Amino acid sequence: MQLGSFGLDGRHLGLIGLGVMGQNLALNFQKHGYSVAVYNRTEQKTREFVSKHPEVKATYTVPEFIEALERPRKVFLMVTAGPAVDLTIAALQDHLSPEDVVMDGGNSFFQDTERRCKELVARKIDFMGVGVSGGEEGALNGPCIMVGGSSEGYGKVRSMLTSIAAQADGACCQLLGPRGAGHYVKMVHNGIEYGIIQIIAETYDLLSRAMELNISQIHDIFKDWNRGNLNSFLMEITEEALGRKDPETRKPLVQIILDRAKQKGTGKWTSQNALDIGVPTPTIDAAVGARNLSALKEERVRAAKMLKRSTRPRRTGRSFTSKLEQAVLASIVVTYAQGFHLMRAASREYGYNVPFGEVARIWKGGCIVRAKLLDPITRAFRQNADLQNLLFYKELAQTLKKVDKDWREVVKRAKDSAVPIPAISASLDYYDGYRSERLPANLIQALRDRFGAHGYERTDKPGEFRTDWAR
């Protein structure tokens, strides 16, 4: 495709929001043959960007921005999720026309996207919730793009979105359902990301505190793991992070980074929504909780002095490292299983009809959770699109059975060493709970009926029953 010209021909795409992600997406569209006009609330940022990239058209008012676009207009928003998105839409909508398309590429909460879709469809404007994963590098060189909206709206922007996306068995871009479906899948993607990152961090902690290995040794272990079944983007950048030296002190960078993790909310949203629709996601919940606990740095320092650990680490050989690798693999499998289980329930709850095989496929390229493990996950949904839970897929079930003993030994070792591994432990508990034919919920129901007359079901006949506990 030839670049669009200035003037009456108009630009193919307008992009609002020139943070690093917005800038890189604009350049990605340009290099794939789509002419771009940009607008940013801060005029100076626009001037600085176009001074380096004169092929991009600068605009400095909303009317000028709208006038620069060909019809039907395609507008891509890369502004901070929340009120800023609503303010931007409000500034745009009186200048837009029916059949125009507005795409929100930020990490918006899916319910906000639902609302915005309904508001703009009343004006015959297509609103698309577009989840973009891959960070700054992905935005420039090929992200994973998770789209929610109408098929008509997607048809107007499909070619440009698929052209800039990463490639893995095709373009890593897909319409995943109506309205907020794209942002919902992106939210769960981020929840899974939280879980895997926490599992990796716990593994690093075990190697450091329970096995007393130095950073160089831990780096070599992750490097080795990334050559096998754990190969993934997150393992790759863990290896990179552990190998980086601080330029000032020449110490390993990770050793001088404060152990206080921050978050932007998507992991929390995943846990909250899972609670709302009644789907267990304990690994993701544990990851969110661990970040919250890490934020209590000053309190933890005080507690460490008062509540001193009585255990002592003991060295072990490579056999434990091998067992730890299996425990990490199993925990990550379970994290994906929880995420896809949640998406299946949400797809029914919100009428999304999400194509899970396509979710797994597009996650194989560009996105943060891309991994070798997504190959069997993709196969699972291609063989059975109605698969209820990934733990029912024979290939993955056999993997978990094979590593069961090693997984438990790792958890025991962590407990004996007083090293917290909430995500790995939660993954094992989920696995054990999901495959338990009988759980102690019968006693929970008895207690609920005793103090609150909530009733219970029986194993021997249908219906709802209550006991007269006063008798």
Side-chain angles (χ1 to χ4, degrees), residues 107-112 183-184 186-195 261-277 279 281-292 342 350:
N107 275 333
S108 289
F109 184 49
F110 79 101
Q111 293 285 22
D112 289 336
H183 276 147
Y184 190 92
K186 177 58 163 55
M187 178 188 76
V188 176
H189 164 283
N190 286 18
I192 292 171
E193 175 190 312
Y194 270 55
K262 298 181 181 180
Q263 53 186 311
K264 291 190 174 180
T266 45
K268 179 183 69 175
W269 292 343
T270 305
S271 291
Q272 288 175 332
N273 182 253
L275 289 169
D276 286 343
I277 62 178
V279 176
T281 56
T283 306
I284 297 168
D285 302 344
V288 175
R291 291 200 190 188
N292 291 337
L342 174 60
Y350 305 120

Side-chain angles (χ1 to χ4, degrees), residues 310-339:
S310 59
T311 59
R312 291 289 182 269
R314 53 187 175 84
R315 289 184 174 275
T316 52
R318 289 194 62 84
S319 61
F320 182 77
T321 304
S322 177
K323 292 172 183 177
L324 183 55
E325 179 182 11
Q326 301 309 313
V328 171
L329 176 63
S331 299
I332 292 175
V333 167
V334 166
T335 306
Y336 278 110
Q338 292 171 25

Side-chain angles (χ1 to χ4, degrees), residues 368-427:
I368 303 301
V369 300
R370 61 186 186 268
K372 183 178 181 180
L373 187 56
L374 283 163
D375 288 329
I377 293 175
T378 303
R379 289 195 294 272
F381 288 112
R382 284 179 176 172
Q383 291 176 24
N384 180 6
D386 297 322
L387 184 66
Q388 192 171 18
N389 190 306
L390 283 169
L391 300 189
F392 288 119
Y393 182 55
K394 188 175 182 180
E395 182 178 345
L396 295 176
Q398 288 176 337
T399 296
L400 295 179
K401 290 178 183 177
K402 182 179 178 181
V403 306
D404 184 284
K405 185 177 179 181
D406 291 342
W407 200 0
R408 295 178 194 286
E409 187 166 331
V410 165
V411 173
K412 290 176 186 175
R413 174 65 185 278
K415 300 307 178 188
D416 289 343
S417 302
V419 175
I421 53 167
I424 295 174
S425 294
S427 298

Side-chain angles (χ1 to χ4, degrees), residues 112 133 141 153 244 381 422 461:
D112 289 336
S133 178
N141 298 315
R244 181 61 61 94
F381 288 112
K461 52 187 175 183

Side-chain angles (χ1 to χ4, degrees), residues 28-80:
N28 194 351
F29 280 114
Q30 280 281 164
K31 74 181 180 182
H32 281 90
Y34 294 94
S35 56
V36 179
V38 297
Y39 171 76
N40 193 77
R41 184 174 57 86
T42 306
E43 184 176 310
Q44 183 59 31
K45 184 168 283 190
T46 303
R47 294 190 185 280
E48 290 173 357
F49 179 61
V50 298
S51 68
K52 299 174 184 176
H53 305 284
E55 70 276 17
V56 177
K57 180 175 177 58
T59 66
Y60 298 100
T61 66
V62 170
E64 181 187 6
F65 171 77
I66 293 295
E67 188 63 26
L69 306 180
E70 68 177 12
R71 291 172 181 259
R73 304 176 185 92
K74 291 93 175 176
V75 177
F76 204 101
L77 308 183
M78 286 302 297
V79 299
T80 304

Side-chain angles (χ1 to χ4, degrees), residues 125-142:
I125 295 168
D126 288 301
F127 185 79
M128 319 291 289
V130 180
V132 179
S133 178
E136 298 172 11
E137 182 181 342
L140 181 62
N141 298 315

